Structure formats: structure tokens, C-alpha cells
Amino acid sequence: MPFEPDETTMIDLATGVRAPGATLTRELAAELHARAAWSCISEPGDGTAGLVVAALGAVRALRMIIEAWTHDHIAGELLTAGVAEGVIAAAGLDRALERWRPRLDPIVVTIALRQAARSGAWLAIPGDPDWPAGLEDLGVHAPLALWWRGPAHALGAFAQSIALVGARAATRYGEHVAMEASAGLVDRGFAIVSGAVYFL
């Protein structure tokens, strides 16, 4: 199975994870597909992925993995894109490629997009109107995409939000404190943000 689906399938997959009424071009569909793939192959906060995607674009950066570009080829492309030689040397490209390449699976990306569409989840990318501007403060460690569920304006709540992070093996007391803290913060107008939460 080729990594990139045909244009009709790519647009169909991308349409399923865009907010209703969003305009979708072939270029945007390819960008969404590439960023969905990056969310499957890189860890949150992966600065090397952020650097490569910022310099080459998500689609071209994904192509470098698909086509198994050499370290020197990637470094040359990054230099051409204006990334300083010292930054490239410090990025740990070889280790990153070792992490990313085994995770590159077109079926996983297709399943992620289809399951997101079925469950009413959306894929937000930088440049979207509701993309949280505060994420730019993270530089190359910023998310490459955000999967989310809820109303279209929900991402706008990040302007006044707080992360509430706990343990999956929380005690009953810990759960109680988290619930009380969440309720109090929501009553004061804060959005509660957490990633990969586990609810009983």
C-alpha cells in the first residue's frame, strides 16, 4: 500500500477531520494527511521533528522518511532552507530517523483519520483560525497538529486555560482533589487541558 493515498481518498480522509464548512484544497488535504502521519510517528515535543517540519514543510518532511533520504541529504535540504549547521548537528537526526522510520505505517494513519471522523474528532494544524497562539512559544517543540473533540470554537479556550495533570494510578483522594480543582477552575472561566487522559 503506498503511503500517500490517491487524491480522492486523501481529500475524503481530510474532509472527515475538518470542522464543518471548512474549505479544503488538495494542498490542505496533503498537509492534513502529512501532519496526521507526523502525529503517529513522532512523540509530543519532538524538537527534531518540529525543526524538520518547520524547515521543509510537513509534506516534504514526511517524504524524506518515505523515500529514506540519507542523513547528508536531509542536512543539505535543511541548510538550503536556512537552518544553521550547528543546529542541524545538535538535532540528532540519525537517532530521530531510527525512531520515526519503524513507525511509518500508512494503515495506521488511515485508521487514525477514519476513527477520528467516526468519533467526531477534528485535526487542527498551525494556521487554522482557532490554533492556540500560545503554542508558538514552544518553538520547535510545539505540537505539529492537535486532535480534539468538541465544538469548533473549543480551541479558542486555550487563551485562558490551565493544565491539570495527574497519575493514572491515582488514589481516591487524588481523584477527589483533581475533581474539586477542576470544578473550581471551570467555575472561574478556565478551560482544563490535559493530554491522553484516562477517565473511569
Side-chain angles (χ1 to χ4, degrees):
M1 175 179 193
F3 194 89
E4 294 174 310
D6 62 80
E7 185 172 330
T8 303
T9 303
M10 186 181 299
I11 289 174
D12 181 51
L13 289 170
T15 300
V17 295
R18 292 308 277 174
T23 304
L24 191 65
T25 62
R26 194 244 180 262
E27 291 75 23
L28 180 55
E31 181 77 10
L32 287 161
H33 187 268
R35 287 185 179 266
W38 275 105
S39 76
C40 294
I41 62 176
S42 67
E43 299 88 0
D46 184 334
T48 306
L51 171 72
V52 172
V53 169
L56 304 180
V59 174
R60 187 158 171 76
L62 183 60
R63 182 153 309 287
M64 76 172 195
I65 300 172
I66 295 168
E67 296 176 355
W69 292 3
T70 65
H71 175 278
D72 291 343
H73 184 177
I74 298 167
E77 293 289 327
L78 292 173
L79 278 171
T80 301
V83 179
E85 198 169 330
V87 172
I88 296 169
L93 278 175
D94 290 330
R95 288 187 314 277
L97 290 168
E98 287 173 12
R99 289 192 311 268
W100 302 334
R101 285 185 174 142
R103 300 175 187 163
L104 186 65
D105 186 341
I107 295 171
V108 170
V109 177
T110 300
I111 289 170
L113 288 163
R114 287 195 172 133
Q115 286 180 337
R118 256 195 313 276
S119 68
W122 313 107
L123 182 62
I125 61 174
D128 284 347
D130 289 324
W131 182 261
L135 293 177
E136 294 169 9
D137 295 346
L138 298 173
V140 296
H141 301 285
L144 299 174
L146 292 173
W147 296 92
W148 58 282
R149 287 180 63 189
H153 66 279
L155 288 179
F158 277 103
Q160 185 166 340
S161 63
I162 189 164
L164 195 60
V165 181
R168 289 182 188 254
T171 63
R172 290 209 186 273
Y173 176 72
E175 291 172 1
H176 173 76
V177 170
M179 210 172 346
E180 290 293 317
S182 297
L185 289 162
V186 168
D187 286 346
R188 287 163 182 77
F190 284 89
I192 307 300
V193 180
S194 187
V197 294
Y198 173 72
F199 293 104
L200 296 176

